[in-house]
Amino acid sequence: MYLTPKSGLYLGGSCITAIASVGSVFELSSGQPDLGVQVTAIILGLSIPLTGLFFFAAVRDARANMK
């Protein structure tokens, strides 16, 4: 089995940040975000790269455990 608790946490973090980025896009497109435009834009700006980093870390951890 290649999935370790560490890679599972990375995948979970990737899912959460991906959901946050999609939610931020919908909030910004609605015109009046609940948290305000600036806070929602910051969440969007942080969640997009974090999604990629968490996913990359999960894949790298899984590949390291294949050996």
Side-chain angles (χ1 to χ4, degrees), residues 1-13 54 56-67:
M1 180 163 196
Y2 305 125
L3 184 66
T4 63
K6 185 169 129 181
S7 60
L9 286 174
Y10 286 141
L11 282 176
F54 282 142
F56 178 74
V59 170
R60 192 173 73 198
D61 185 61
R63 283 186 179 169
N65 289 315
M66 288 175 59
K67 298 176 183 178

Side-chain angles (χ1 to χ4, degrees), residues 21-47:
S21 64
V22 170
S24 295
V25 168
F26 279 115
E27 283 286 315
L28 288 171
S29 66
S30 74
Q32 284 294 76
D34 290 339
L35 299 175
V37 174
Q38 185 176 14
V39 173
T40 306
I42 290 170
I43 292 170
L44 178 62
L46 290 175
S47 63

